Amino acid sequence: MTTERRMPATTADERTMLEGWLEFHRQTLAWKCEGLTDEQLRSSAVEPSDLSLLGLVRHMADVERSWFRRVLTDEAVAPLYWSDEDPDGEFHLTDADTYREAHAAWQAEIETARSNAARFGLDDISEGKHRRTGERFNLRWIYTHMIEEYARHNGHADLIRERIDGSTGD
């Protein structure tokens, strides 16, 4: 599988540009994971950190789920990988955790995110609230936050991938 990343159009309208950048960053994380074994994907960045590429994919599946289902549409869904007892559960991997499963869950959340977002305008306010702050957000804020979240974690993914096999690239 070869992930194709598409740069957003440089003259697009605001929504198309925001969605384009979000897709670009989603594609970047998939690209950083490409061609690695589950063992490599589970390997942590540096001791004592639990940060790994597989953990990042699991984390982003839960982030997509949280913002586009729980906050945007007020859907009562449980987290996929973390819990109140283990708030960093997405990074606590076992030998049984696979990229295939995590990637499928992540892609399913992305598809749901796209579908849910399509029902809202950029200025429309979320139906749900943030679980800790109780705030509501417009879709523009959620898109911007998701771009920031992916961009930050893609920086982590760059470093982890380079440590695994020397691969570099933006």
Side-chain angles (χ1 to χ4, degrees):
M1 173 174 87
T2 302
T3 301
E4 293 199 26
R5 296 183 312 149
R6 293 174 303 283
M7 289 293 290
T10 60
T11 58
D13 63 88
E14 182 182 14
R15 184 178 188 126
T16 303
M17 194 167 293
L18 288 169
E19 289 174 348
W21 277 111
L22 181 53
E23 290 302 321
F24 176 83
H25 284 293
R26 287 168 170 158
Q27 294 160 358
T28 298
L29 182 56
W31 176 54
K32 289 297 172 180
C33 296
E34 217 164 71
L36 297 176
T37 66
D38 280 350
E39 182 180 353
Q40 289 171 312
L41 290 162
R42 280 192 293 272
S43 65
S44 62
V46 302
E47 294 298 329
S49 175
D50 289 327
L51 189 63
S52 67
L53 289 170
L54 182 55
L56 286 173
V57 169
R58 288 164 43 118
H59 174 70
M60 292 312 299
D62 263 325
V63 171
E64 295 270 0
R65 186 177 183 90
S66 178
W67 284 103
F68 289 103
R69 293 174 76 171
R70 294 202 325 252
V71 175
L72 187 62
T73 65
D74 200 26
E75 187 178 344
V77 292
L80 295 169
Y81 300 109
W82 63 270
S83 65
D84 289 336
E85 296 76 32
D86 188 5
D88 294 322
E90 65 267 46
F91 297 109
H92 299 151
L93 305 173
T94 69
D95 288 343
D97 295 315
T98 67
Y99 182 70
R100 180 183 206 145
E101 181 279 324
H103 185 266
W106 178 44
Q107 293 306 303
E109 292 303 327
I110 288 171
E111 284 305 313
T112 300
R114 288 182 188 126
S115 176
N116 286 351
R119 301 184 352 235
F120 288 77
L122 290 178
D123 292 321
D124 290 347
I125 303 300
S126 63
E127 295 168 356
K129 298 176 184 178
H130 190 276
R131 70 183 182 89
R132 287 189 308 262
T133 69
E135 291 177 283
R136 294 186 188 274
F137 302 84
N138 67 23
L139 180 59
R140 178 183 290 104
W141 192 97
I142 292 170
Y143 274 156
T144 303
H145 173 68
M146 291 299 294
I147 292 164
E148 173 273 329
E149 181 88 6
Y150 271 102
R152 179 166 35 98
H153 289 313
N154 284 339
H156 299 139
D158 282 338
L159 296 172
I160 297 168
R161 180 64 190 250
E162 184 176 10
R163 189 191 65 71
I164 291 170
D165 69 357
S167 292
T168 59
D170 59 356

